[in-house]
Amino acid sequence: MNQKTWIEALPELLEALGETAWMVGWAFLIVVLVGTAVGVLLRLWASDGLTPSRGLYAVVGAVVNIARSLPFLILMIALIGFTRWLVGTAYGPTPAIVPLAVGAIPFYARVVEAALREVAPGKIEAAQVMGATTWDIVRKVLLPEALPGLVAGATLTLVTLIGYSTMAGVIGGGGVGDFAIRYGYQRFNEPVLLMSVVVLIIIVQLVQSIGDWLVSRMAHRRG
Amino acid sequence: MIEVTSLTKVYGTGDGAVTAVDDVSLSVPSGQVFGILGRSGAGKTTLMRCLTALERPTSGSVTIGEVNLTELSASGLRKARHRMGMIFQHFNLLGSRTAADNIAFPLEVQGVPAAERRARVAELIELVGLQGREHAFPSQLSGGQKQRVGIARALAAHPDVLFCDEATSALDPATTEQILDLLKEINRRTGVTIVLITHESEVVRRICDAAALMASGRVVEQGPLLELLADPDSRLADILLPVGDVSLDPEHTSVVLGFAHGGTTEPVISGLTRRFGLDVSILGGAVETVAGHKVGRLRVALTHPDGGYDRDAVAAYLAEHEVSVHL
Ligand SMILES: Nc1ncnc2c1ncn2[C@@H]1O[C@H](COP(=O)(O)OP(=O)(O)OP(=O)(O)O)[C@@H](O)[C@H]1O
Ligand SMILES: [Mg+2]
């Protein structure tokens, strides 16, 4: 069989990277927005939260837990119908955004909830005594004070999303995962497979380092 | 200014119930520095949490100015709180904000425009002596400086009353004195009423006009400090100006003399000897300047070589010299 060299496969890899960036980027954006909102609500509704609600906390908490306990591959397959309804098709980088976001939102929501829980109750009470509304406290106390934890959690989420995105490749989502399957699994082209592995490692390292750097820069100022 | 009526706070129910505040009534006049002294677990923090409505009392009411806090809606309570400031033992500053932005927080919450906020923050930085440190983050400040930020933040929106929960307990003695003097000066300059709780008698001695003593959830004594100190039987006075144990006096012949109105001890004591032929031995005592007045308490044993003496005459003589005693 006439195997491509890694140089010949490079343009295709770049294209695959572009697809990965597309689906991971959009999914990450959605996860951060929705996950933050859900995490804040969970924190507010918790029994020791600002607006406790046993019922809402239990219901949303259960949904989050169920979504988190499903393996991503299963979740993705289970969501094919929903994705097709939402995007029109279930195959390709854009539809892959749906399961990626749905899979990571519960995870990030719990990260946010845990990070907000770390904010000292005294700071919240100080704001309350100053006459702050719940919304003031969320915006000006909880989220800013928890920011290092939120960024660390977002970094972890982004790395996880990159991992998930390769699985999306398995069912035709495109991206680096799809590329690796085509060359490494279907054609046994190990040099090219190795190249995609190395590129993934570099990307993940880069994401982690940037996240760590942001966190340490914030922690340095705040002590 | 602040009226607390039959305030009770019970935590938990049934066998595990703890009455943290037990039927407390207090009256804090406007413009005063009012200290609530009590040991650990006496219920001071709980009482203060009820005063700021962080805790809902089990029964009783808290009125600040004209407003009954226990009857307010959530938005009414927020508005009432715009007239309060509070400082904390552990400062509770926001680590994500600079000193200046921490001070601006209550102004932001109240919707004060940015330009006005900046001007007010600059004023406050000067008031608390933090010039040059306004852009530092709390982690870059010492404990004393953090508490100065806390005080400036509490004062930012011109409150009528400033609550302090163990505001100096995390500070060393020299810094404690500076912060206490700052609070006193702010009270003099702005007329803000200050309610502070503490377990350190030094705090009450140094800056309070009036005080209450709390034990096991109850207020056992309250009143203007000078009056309490002049009262020979006052427990609070005995904590602030201890005169030694009764065990020093096995025959129980001793009495406590209170001097709180500029009376001086020496002529009075020699007078007791000269006029009544009494032997006076001093068993213990303390003299200090409190609220600008020299006050003292002495435990003395009064004996007469012939046995008894005319108690009424002695009491009248002491009263004439503004010395309180219960014979
Ligand atoms: N949230 C709570 N739940 C149950 N019991 C409480 C709670 N808060 C306080 N207590 C109890 O109420 C009593 C008074 O506590 P409080 O914190 O008011 O005392 P304090 O005078 O402030 O003491 P310290 O000087 O140690 O701060 C204590 O017995 C305490 O255990
Ligand atoms: Mg306390």
Side-chain angles (χ1 to χ4, degrees), chain A residues 122-123 125-126 128-133 140-141 144-145 221-223, chain B residues 49 54 78 81-82 88 92-96 105-106 108-109 137 139 153:
Chain A
K123 294 180 182 181
E125 290 186 344
Q128 282 180 305
V129 176
M130 289 185 263
T133 60
K140 293 173 186 284
V141 181
E145 289 295 300
R221 274 203 323 189
R222 297 154 179 233
Chain B
R49 290 174 65 83
L54 282 171
R78 273 199 302 279
R81 280 170 166 169
H82 291 167
F88 304 84
N92 289 339
L93 301 177
L94 299 181
S96 53
F105 187 97
E108 285 176 30
V109 163
F137 283 86
S139 64
R153 176 175 72 171

PDB file of all heavy atoms in Angstrom, chain A residues 122-123 125-126 128-133 140-141 144-145 221-223, chain B residues 49 54 78 81-82 88 92-96 105-106 108-109 137 139 153:
ATOM      1  N   GLY A 122     -17.661  34.906  55.610  1.00  0.00           N
ATOM      2  CA  GLY A 122     -17.539  36.250  56.173  1.00  0.00           C
ATOM      3  C   GLY A 122     -17.554  37.332  55.103  1.00  0.00           C
ATOM      4  O   GLY A 122     -18.086  38.419  55.317  1.00  0.00           O
ATOM      5  N   LYS A 123     -16.968  37.040  53.946  1.00  0.00           N
ATOM      6  CA  LYS A 123     -16.940  38.039  52.869  1.00  0.00           C
ATOM      7  C   LYS A 123     -18.345  38.275  52.342  1.00  0.00           C
ATOM      8  O   LYS A 123     -18.715  39.393  51.991  1.00  0.00           O
ATOM      9  CB  LYS A 123     -16.045  37.561  51.731  1.00  0.00           C
ATOM     10  CG  LYS A 123     -14.589  37.460  52.130  1.00  0.00           C
ATOM     11  CD  LYS A 123     -13.715  36.980  50.995  1.00  0.00           C
ATOM     12  CE  LYS A 123     -12.278  36.847  51.474  1.00  0.00           C
ATOM     13  NZ  LYS A 123     -11.377  36.408  50.412  1.00  0.00           N
ATOM     14  N   GLU A 125     -21.119  37.778  54.092  1.00  0.00           N
ATOM     15  CA  GLU A 125     -21.871  38.494  55.121  1.00  0.00           C
ATOM     16  C   GLU A 125     -21.497  39.964  55.143  1.00  0.00           C
ATOM     17  O   GLU A 125     -22.355  40.833  55.342  1.00  0.00           O
ATOM     18  CB  GLU A 125     -21.631  37.854  56.483  1.00  0.00           C
ATOM     19  CG  GLU A 125     -22.294  36.492  56.568  1.00  0.00           C
ATOM     20  CD  GLU A 125     -22.217  35.875  57.947  1.00  0.00           C
ATOM     21  OE1 GLU A 125     -21.396  36.347  58.765  1.00  0.00           O
ATOM     22  OE2 GLU A 125     -22.967  34.921  58.194  1.00  0.00           O
ATOM     23  N   ALA A 126     -20.216  40.248  54.936  1.00  0.00           N
ATOM     24  CA  ALA A 126     -19.798  41.660  54.901  1.00  0.00           C
ATOM     25  C   ALA A 126     -20.581  42.385  53.801  1.00  0.00           C
ATOM     26  O   ALA A 126     -21.090  43.486  54.012  1.00  0.00           O
ATOM     27  CB  ALA A 126     -18.297  41.759  54.647  1.00  0.00           C
ATOM     28  N   GLN A 128     -23.457  41.508  52.573  1.00  0.00           N
ATOM     29  CA  GLN A 128     -24.869  41.590  52.972  1.00  0.00           C
ATOM     30  C   GLN A 128     -25.110  42.759  53.918  1.00  0.00           C
ATOM     31  O   GLN A 128     -26.082  43.491  53.763  1.00  0.00           O
ATOM     32  CB  GLN A 128     -25.292  40.288  53.670  1.00  0.00           C
ATOM     33  CG  GLN A 128     -25.562  39.155  52.704  1.00  0.00           C
ATOM     34  CD  GLN A 128     -25.973  37.901  53.436  1.00  0.00           C
ATOM     35  OE1 GLN A 128     -25.265  37.431  54.318  1.00  0.00           O
ATOM     36  NE2 GLN A 128     -27.120  37.352  53.086  1.00  0.00           N
ATOM     37  N   VAL A 129     -24.195  42.931  54.881  1.00  0.00           N
ATOM     38  CA  VAL A 129     -24.376  44.021  55.833  1.00  0.00           C
ATOM     39  C   VAL A 129     -24.245  45.380  55.126  1.00  0.00           C
ATOM     40  O   VAL A 129     -24.747  46.384  55.598  1.00  0.00           O
ATOM     41  CB  VAL A 129     -23.374  43.898  57.006  1.00  0.00           C
ATOM     42  CG1 VAL A 129     -23.498  45.073  57.952  1.00  0.00           C
ATOM     43  CG2 VAL A 129     -23.617  42.616  57.774  1.00  0.00           C
ATOM     44  N   MET A 130     -23.558  45.396  53.993  1.00  0.00           N
ATOM     45  CA  MET A 130     -23.458  46.647  53.230  1.00  0.00           C
ATOM     46  C   MET A 130     -24.703  46.866  52.356  1.00  0.00           C
ATOM     47  O   MET A 130     -24.773  47.830  51.614  1.00  0.00           O
ATOM     48  CB  MET A 130     -22.194  46.648  52.379  1.00  0.00           C
ATOM     49  CG  MET A 130     -20.930  46.779  53.229  1.00  0.00           C
ATOM     50  SD  MET A 130     -19.446  46.929  52.248  1.00  0.00           S
ATOM     51  CE  MET A 130     -18.862  45.259  52.251  1.00  0.00           C
ATOM     52  N   GLY A 131     -25.641  45.935  52.438  1.00  0.00           N
ATOM     53  CA  GLY A 131     -26.882  46.120  51.696  1.00  0.00           C
ATOM     54  C   GLY A 131     -26.800  45.638  50.259  1.00  0.00           C
ATOM     55  O   GLY A 131     -27.575  46.086  49.413  1.00  0.00           O
ATOM     56  N   ALA A 132     -25.877  44.712  49.963  1.00  0.00           N
ATOM     57  CA  ALA A 132     -25.760  44.193  48.598  1.00  0.00           C
ATOM     58  C   ALA A 132     -26.920  43.243  48.288  1.00  0.00           C
ATOM     59  O   ALA A 132     -27.391  42.522  49.163  1.00  0.00           O
ATOM     60  CB  ALA A 132     -24.429  43.464  48.434  1.00  0.00           C
ATOM     61  N   THR A 133     -27.372  43.251  47.022  1.00  0.00           N
ATOM     62  CA  THR A 133     -28.378  42.285  46.598  1.00  0.00           C
ATOM     63  C   THR A 133     -27.680  40.962  46.286  1.00  0.00           C
ATOM     64  O   THR A 133     -26.452  40.899  46.189  1.00  0.00           O
ATOM     65  CB  THR A 133     -29.080  42.745  45.316  1.00  0.00           C
ATOM     66  OG1 THR A 133     -28.074  42.883  44.299  1.00  0.00           O
ATOM     67  CG2 THR A 133     -29.765  44.087  45.498  1.00  0.00           C
ATOM     68  N   LYS A 140     -20.001  40.630  42.284  1.00  0.00           N
ATOM     69  CA  LYS A 140     -18.903  41.399  42.852  1.00  0.00           C
ATOM     70  C   LYS A 140     -18.139  40.651  43.933  1.00  0.00           C
ATOM     71  O   LYS A 140     -17.073  41.082  44.342  1.00  0.00           O
ATOM     72  CB  LYS A 140     -19.437  42.715  43.452  1.00  0.00           C
ATOM     73  CG  LYS A 140     -19.982  43.689  42.420  1.00  0.00           C
ATOM     74  CD  LYS A 140     -20.649  44.868  43.129  1.00  0.00           C
ATOM     75  CE  LYS A 140     -21.326  45.787  42.161  1.00  0.00           C
ATOM     76  NZ  LYS A 140     -20.344  46.624  41.441  1.00  0.00           N
ATOM     77  N   VAL A 141     -18.723  39.583  44.467  1.00  0.00           N
ATOM     78  CA  VAL A 141     -18.027  38.847  45.525  1.00  0.00           C
ATOM     79  C   VAL A 141     -17.721  37.425  45.077  1.00  0.00           C
ATOM     80  O   VAL A 141     -16.567  37.043  44.929  1.00  0.00           O
ATOM     81  CB  VAL A 141     -18.845  38.829  46.840  1.00  0.00           C
ATOM     82  CG1 VAL A 141     -18.088  38.078  47.923  1.00  0.00           C
ATOM     83  CG2 VAL A 141     -19.156  40.248  47.294  1.00  0.00           C
ATOM     84  N   PRO A 144     -15.697  37.005  41.371  1.00  0.00           N
ATOM     85  CA  PRO A 144     -14.324  37.531  41.402  1.00  0.00           C
ATOM     86  C   PRO A 144     -13.446  36.836  42.435  1.00  0.00           C
ATOM     87  O   PRO A 144     -12.278  36.541  42.166  1.00  0.00           O
ATOM     88  CB  PRO A 144     -14.493  39.010  41.763  1.00  0.00           C
ATOM     89  CG  PRO A 144     -15.901  39.343  41.457  1.00  0.00           C
ATOM     90  CD  PRO A 144     -16.688  38.077  41.610  1.00  0.00           C
ATOM     91  N   GLU A 145     -14.005  36.542  43.613  1.00  0.00           N
ATOM     92  CA  GLU A 145     -13.186  35.917  44.647  1.00  0.00           C
ATOM     93  C   GLU A 145     -12.807  34.490  44.263  1.00  0.00           C
ATOM     94  O   GLU A 145     -11.776  33.979  44.664  1.00  0.00           O
ATOM     95  CB  GLU A 145     -13.930  35.910  45.990  1.00  0.00           C
ATOM     96  CG  GLU A 145     -14.052  37.275  46.636  1.00  0.00           C
ATOM     97  CD  GLU A 145     -12.710  37.868  47.032  1.00  0.00           C
ATOM     98  OE1 GLU A 145     -12.001  37.263  47.837  1.00  0.00           O
ATOM     99  OE2 GLU A 145     -12.366  38.954  46.511  1.00  0.00           O
ATOM    100  N   ARG A 221      -1.136  37.986  43.102  1.00  0.00           N
ATOM    101  CA  ARG A 221      -1.631  39.298  43.522  1.00  0.00           C
ATOM    102  C   ARG A 221      -2.496  39.195  44.772  1.00  0.00           C
ATOM    103  O   ARG A 221      -2.497  40.066  45.625  1.00  0.00           O
ATOM    104  CB  ARG A 221      -2.480  39.909  42.399  1.00  0.00           C
ATOM    105  CG  ARG A 221      -1.668  40.661  41.393  1.00  0.00           C
ATOM    106  CD  ARG A 221      -2.520  41.668  40.662  1.00  0.00           C
ATOM    107  NE  ARG A 221      -3.867  41.188  40.396  1.00  0.00           N
ATOM    108  CZ  ARG A 221      -4.708  41.844  39.619  1.00  0.00           C
ATOM    109  NH1 ARG A 221      -4.357  42.960  39.053  1.00  0.00           N
ATOM    110  NH2 ARG A 221      -5.924  41.375  39.408  1.00  0.00           N
ATOM    111  N   ARG A 222      -3.287  38.114  44.812  1.00  0.00           N
ATOM    112  CA  ARG A 222      -4.262  38.025  45.892  1.00  0.00           C
ATOM    113  C   ARG A 222      -3.703  37.377  47.144  1.00  0.00           C
ATOM    114  O   ARG A 222      -4.261  37.528  48.208  1.00  0.00           O
ATOM    115  CB  ARG A 222      -5.456  37.181  45.430  1.00  0.00           C
ATOM    116  CG  ARG A 222      -6.183  37.813  44.288  1.00  0.00           C
ATOM    117  CD  ARG A 222      -6.863  36.744  43.493  1.00  0.00           C
ATOM    118  NE  ARG A 222      -7.590  37.342  42.394  1.00  0.00           N
ATOM    119  CZ  ARG A 222      -8.860  37.114  42.152  1.00  0.00           C
ATOM    120  NH1 ARG A 222      -9.532  36.307  42.910  1.00  0.00           N
ATOM    121  NH2 ARG A 222      -9.436  37.685  41.140  1.00  0.00           N
ATOM    122  N   GLY A 223      -2.630  36.596  46.966  1.00  0.00           N
ATOM    123  CA  GLY A 223      -2.024  35.938  48.130  1.00  0.00           C
ATOM    124  C   GLY A 223      -2.900  34.891  48.755  1.00  0.00           C
ATOM    125  O   GLY A 223      -4.069  34.763  48.483  1.00  0.00           O
TER     126      GLY A 223
ATOM    127  N   ARG B  49     -25.058  39.728  65.434  1.00  0.00           N
ATOM    128  CA  ARG B  49     -25.674  39.241  64.183  1.00  0.00           C
ATOM    129  C   ARG B  49     -27.162  39.568  64.151  1.00  0.00           C
ATOM    130  O   ARG B  49     -27.729  39.770  63.089  1.00  0.00           O
ATOM    131  CB  ARG B  49     -25.446  37.736  64.033  1.00  0.00           C
ATOM    132  CG  ARG B  49     -23.984  37.390  63.741  1.00  0.00           C
ATOM    133  CD  ARG B  49     -23.757  35.889  63.732  1.00  0.00           C
ATOM    134  NE  ARG B  49     -24.487  35.253  62.645  1.00  0.00           N
ATOM    135  CZ  ARG B  49     -24.060  35.174  61.407  1.00  0.00           C
ATOM    136  NH1 ARG B  49     -22.885  35.675  61.098  1.00  0.00           N
ATOM    137  NH2 ARG B  49     -24.777  34.598  60.472  1.00  0.00           N
ATOM    138  N   LEU B  54     -28.315  39.704  60.357  1.00  0.00           N
ATOM    139  CA  LEU B  54     -27.748  38.526  59.691  1.00  0.00           C
ATOM    140  C   LEU B  54     -28.412  37.285  60.276  1.00  0.00           C
ATOM    141  O   LEU B  54     -28.423  36.225  59.674  1.00  0.00           O
ATOM    142  CB  LEU B  54     -26.242  38.455  59.922  1.00  0.00           C
ATOM    143  CG  LEU B  54     -25.402  39.389  59.062  1.00  0.00           C
ATOM    144  CD1 LEU B  54     -23.949  39.387  59.529  1.00  0.00           C
ATOM    145  CD2 LEU B  54     -25.480  38.996  57.590  1.00  0.00           C
ATOM    146  N   ARG B  78     -32.296  45.914  53.091  1.00  0.00           N
ATOM    147  CA  ARG B  78     -31.121  46.412  52.357  1.00  0.00           C
ATOM    148  C   ARG B  78     -30.969  47.914  52.535  1.00  0.00           C
ATOM    149  O   ARG B  78     -29.882  48.422  52.751  1.00  0.00           O
ATOM    150  CB  ARG B  78     -31.233  46.076  50.874  1.00  0.00           C
ATOM    151  CG  ARG B  78     -30.696  44.708  50.528  1.00  0.00           C
ATOM    152  CD  ARG B  78     -30.403  44.598  49.055  1.00  0.00           C
ATOM    153  NE  ARG B  78     -31.566  44.850  48.237  1.00  0.00           N
ATOM    154  CZ  ARG B  78     -32.515  43.951  47.978  1.00  0.00           C
ATOM    155  NH1 ARG B  78     -32.419  42.742  48.470  1.00  0.00           N
ATOM    156  NH2 ARG B  78     -33.538  44.261  47.229  1.00  0.00           N
ATOM    157  N   ARG B  81     -29.700  48.731  55.874  1.00  0.00           N
ATOM    158  CA  ARG B  81     -28.286  48.393  55.998  1.00  0.00           C
ATOM    159  C   ARG B  81     -27.386  49.428  55.333  1.00  0.00           C
ATOM    160  O   ARG B  81     -26.193  49.509  55.642  1.00  0.00           O
ATOM    161  CB  ARG B  81     -28.023  47.013  55.406  1.00  0.00           C
ATOM    162  CG  ARG B  81     -28.412  45.907  56.368  1.00  0.00           C
ATOM    163  CD  ARG B  81     -28.376  44.590  55.667  1.00  0.00           C
ATOM    164  NE  ARG B  81     -28.411  43.477  56.602  1.00  0.00           N
ATOM    165  CZ  ARG B  81     -28.598  42.226  56.230  1.00  0.00           C
ATOM    166  NH1 ARG B  81     -28.771  41.944  54.954  1.00  0.00           N
ATOM    167  NH2 ARG B  81     -28.611  41.265  57.118  1.00  0.00           N
ATOM    168  N   HIS B  82     -27.931  50.197  54.413  1.00  0.00           N
ATOM    169  CA  HIS B  82     -27.124  51.263  53.822  1.00  0.00           C
ATOM    170  C   HIS B  82     -26.740  52.309  54.867  1.00  0.00           C
ATOM    171  O   HIS B  82     -25.841  53.100  54.647  1.00  0.00           O
ATOM    172  CB  HIS B  82     -27.885  51.921  52.653  1.00  0.00           C
ATOM    173  CG  HIS B  82     -28.018  51.010  51.462  1.00  0.00           C
ATOM    174  ND1 HIS B  82     -28.866  51.269  50.414  1.00  0.00           N
ATOM    175  CD2 HIS B  82     -27.411  49.842  51.177  1.00  0.00           C
ATOM    176  CE1 HIS B  82     -28.773  50.289  49.532  1.00  0.00           C
ATOM    177  NE2 HIS B  82     -27.899  49.411  49.977  1.00  0.00           N
ATOM    178  N   PHE B  88     -14.856  43.654  61.043  1.00  0.00           N
ATOM    179  CA  PHE B  88     -14.805  42.260  61.483  1.00  0.00           C
ATOM    180  C   PHE B  88     -13.436  41.900  62.040  1.00  0.00           C
ATOM    181  O   PHE B  88     -12.421  42.483  61.648  1.00  0.00           O
ATOM    182  CB  PHE B  88     -15.097  41.339  60.288  1.00  0.00           C
ATOM    183  CG  PHE B  88     -16.400  41.625  59.601  1.00  0.00           C
ATOM    184  CD1 PHE B  88     -16.490  42.613  58.634  1.00  0.00           C
ATOM    185  CD2 PHE B  88     -17.544  40.915  59.917  1.00  0.00           C
ATOM    186  CE1 PHE B  88     -17.694  42.890  57.997  1.00  0.00           C
ATOM    187  CE2 PHE B  88     -18.747  41.178  59.288  1.00  0.00           C
ATOM    188  CZ  PHE B  88     -18.819  42.161  58.326  1.00  0.00           C
ATOM    189  N   ASN B  92     -12.473  40.418  56.492  1.00  0.00           N
ATOM    190  CA  ASN B  92     -13.426  40.095  55.417  1.00  0.00           C
ATOM    191  C   ASN B  92     -13.319  41.031  54.226  1.00  0.00           C
ATOM    192  O   ASN B  92     -14.321  41.451  53.639  1.00  0.00           O
ATOM    193  CB  ASN B  92     -14.860  40.099  55.948  1.00  0.00           C
ATOM    194  CG  ASN B  92     -15.114  38.920  56.861  1.00  0.00           C
ATOM    195  OD1 ASN B  92     -14.397  37.919  56.794  1.00  0.00           O
ATOM    196  ND2 ASN B  92     -16.101  39.022  57.712  1.00  0.00           N
ATOM    197  N   LEU B  93     -12.080  41.385  53.851  1.00  0.00           N
ATOM    198  CA  LEU B  93     -11.893  42.193  52.645  1.00  0.00           C
ATOM    199  C   LEU B  93     -11.936  41.267  51.439  1.00  0.00           C
ATOM    200  O   LEU B  93     -11.702  40.066  51.546  1.00  0.00           O
ATOM    201  CB  LEU B  93     -10.540  42.899  52.702  1.00  0.00           C
ATOM    202  CG  LEU B  93     -10.337  43.822  53.896  1.00  0.00           C
ATOM    203  CD1 LEU B  93      -8.919  44.395  53.879  1.00  0.00           C
ATOM    204  CD2 LEU B  93     -11.362  44.949  53.895  1.00  0.00           C
ATOM    205  N   LEU B  94     -12.213  41.845  50.274  1.00  0.00           N
ATOM    206  CA  LEU B  94     -12.223  41.048  49.056  1.00  0.00           C
ATOM    207  C   LEU B  94     -10.800  41.001  48.482  1.00  0.00           C
ATOM    208  O   LEU B  94     -10.216  42.038  48.168  1.00  0.00           O
ATOM    209  CB  LEU B  94     -13.186  41.644  48.032  1.00  0.00           C
ATOM    210  CG  LEU B  94     -14.642  41.692  48.514  1.00  0.00           C
ATOM    211  CD1 LEU B  94     -15.541  42.278  47.434  1.00  0.00           C
ATOM    212  CD2 LEU B  94     -15.120  40.303  48.900  1.00  0.00           C
ATOM    213  N   GLY B  95     -10.279  39.766  48.366  1.00  0.00           N
ATOM    214  CA  GLY B  95      -8.915  39.595  47.875  1.00  0.00           C
ATOM    215  C   GLY B  95      -8.765  39.972  46.416  1.00  0.00           C
ATOM    216  O   GLY B  95      -7.659  40.213  45.926  1.00  0.00           O
ATOM    217  N   SER B  96      -9.888  40.034  45.701  1.00  0.00           N
ATOM    218  CA  SER B  96      -9.829  40.336  44.275  1.00  0.00           C
ATOM    219  C   SER B  96      -9.813  41.840  44.013  1.00  0.00           C
ATOM    220  O   SER B  96      -9.721  42.258  42.870  1.00  0.00           O
ATOM    221  CB  SER B  96     -11.034  39.711  43.578  1.00  0.00           C
ATOM    222  OG  SER B  96     -12.225  40.108  44.223  1.00  0.00           O
ATOM    223  N   PHE B 105     -16.666  49.514  47.589  1.00  0.00           N
ATOM    224  CA  PHE B 105     -17.711  48.491  47.434  1.00  0.00           C
ATOM    225  C   PHE B 105     -19.104  48.946  47.886  1.00  0.00           C
ATOM    226  O   PHE B 105     -20.063  48.868  47.118  1.00  0.00           O
ATOM    227  CB  PHE B 105     -17.290  47.201  48.147  1.00  0.00           C
ATOM    228  CG  PHE B 105     -18.206  46.049  47.906  1.00  0.00           C
ATOM    229  CD1 PHE B 105     -17.926  45.104  46.927  1.00  0.00           C
ATOM    230  CD2 PHE B 105     -19.383  45.897  48.639  1.00  0.00           C
ATOM    231  CE1 PHE B 105     -18.776  44.038  46.697  1.00  0.00           C
ATOM    232  CE2 PHE B 105     -20.243  44.838  48.406  1.00  0.00           C
ATOM    233  CZ  PHE B 105     -19.939  43.912  47.430  1.00  0.00           C
ATOM    234  N   PRO B 106     -19.248  49.436  49.115  1.00  0.00           N
ATOM    235  CA  PRO B 106     -20.602  49.835  49.539  1.00  0.00           C
ATOM    236  C   PRO B 106     -21.166  50.964  48.680  1.00  0.00           C
ATOM    237  O   PRO B 106     -22.385  51.058  48.508  1.00  0.00           O
ATOM    238  CB  PRO B 106     -20.424  50.279  50.990  1.00  0.00           C
ATOM    239  CG  PRO B 106     -18.968  50.436  51.198  1.00  0.00           C
ATOM    240  CD  PRO B 106     -18.259  49.593  50.204  1.00  0.00           C
ATOM    241  N   GLU B 108     -20.581  51.351  45.431  1.00  0.00           N
ATOM    242  CA  GLU B 108     -21.048  50.695  44.200  1.00  0.00           C
ATOM    243  C   GLU B 108     -22.419  50.087  44.429  1.00  0.00           C
ATOM    244  O   GLU B 108     -23.324  50.244  43.617  1.00  0.00           O
ATOM    245  CB  GLU B 108     -20.089  49.566  43.792  1.00  0.00           C
ATOM    246  CG  GLU B 108     -18.801  50.033  43.177  1.00  0.00           C
ATOM    247  CD  GLU B 108     -17.875  48.851  42.900  1.00  0.00           C
ATOM    248  OE1 GLU B 108     -18.379  47.742  42.637  1.00  0.00           O
ATOM    249  OE2 GLU B 108     -16.654  49.041  42.945  1.00  0.00           O
ATOM    250  N   VAL B 109     -22.535  49.387  45.564  1.00  0.00           N
ATOM    251  CA  VAL B 109     -23.789  48.716  45.874  1.00  0.00           C
ATOM    252  C   VAL B 109     -24.934  49.720  45.973  1.00  0.00           C
ATOM    253  O   VAL B 109     -26.072  49.429  45.613  1.00  0.00           O
ATOM    254  CB  VAL B 109     -23.622  47.924  47.195  1.00  0.00           C
ATOM    255  CG1 VAL B 109     -24.951  47.560  47.792  1.00  0.00           C
ATOM    256  CG2 VAL B 109     -22.769  46.693  46.961  1.00  0.00           C
ATOM    257  N   PHE B 137      -3.237  45.179  47.188  1.00  0.00           N
ATOM    258  CA  PHE B 137      -4.267  44.172  47.454  1.00  0.00           C
ATOM    259  C   PHE B 137      -4.183  43.786  48.938  1.00  0.00           C
ATOM    260  O   PHE B 137      -3.128  43.931  49.552  1.00  0.00           O
ATOM    261  CB  PHE B 137      -4.038  42.943  46.569  1.00  0.00           C
ATOM    262  CG  PHE B 137      -4.482  43.170  45.149  1.00  0.00           C
ATOM    263  CD1 PHE B 137      -3.621  43.765  44.232  1.00  0.00           C
ATOM    264  CD2 PHE B 137      -5.756  42.825  44.741  1.00  0.00           C
ATOM    265  CE1 PHE B 137      -4.038  44.005  42.932  1.00  0.00           C
ATOM    266  CE2 PHE B 137      -6.179  43.053  43.447  1.00  0.00           C
ATOM    267  CZ  PHE B 137      -5.319  43.652  42.541  1.00  0.00           C
ATOM    268  N   SER B 139      -3.734  41.120  50.431  1.00  0.00           N
ATOM    269  CA  SER B 139      -2.635  40.209  50.775  1.00  0.00           C
ATOM    270  C   SER B 139      -1.318  40.951  50.934  1.00  0.00           C
ATOM    271  O   SER B 139      -0.365  40.413  51.485  1.00  0.00           O
ATOM    272  CB  SER B 139      -2.493  39.141  49.695  1.00  0.00           C
ATOM    273  OG  SER B 139      -2.132  39.748  48.475  1.00  0.00           O
ATOM    274  N   ARG B 153     -13.985  51.171  54.609  1.00  0.00           N
ATOM    275  CA  ARG B 153     -15.096  50.582  53.862  1.00  0.00           C
ATOM    276  C   ARG B 153     -16.399  50.732  54.643  1.00  0.00           C
ATOM    277  O   ARG B 153     -17.435  51.101  54.086  1.00  0.00           O
ATOM    278  CB  ARG B 153     -14.798  49.100  53.599  1.00  0.00           C
ATOM    279  CG  ARG B 153     -15.930  48.365  52.909  1.00  0.00           C
ATOM    280  CD  ARG B 153     -15.550  46.937  52.566  1.00  0.00           C
ATOM    281  NE  ARG B 153     -15.488  46.090  53.763  1.00  0.00           N
ATOM    282  CZ  ARG B 153     -15.351  44.771  53.730  1.00  0.00           C
ATOM    283  NH1 ARG B 153     -15.236  44.150  52.557  1.00  0.00           N
ATOM    284  NH2 ARG B 153     -15.297  44.070  54.837  1.00  0.00           N
TER     285      ARG B 153
END
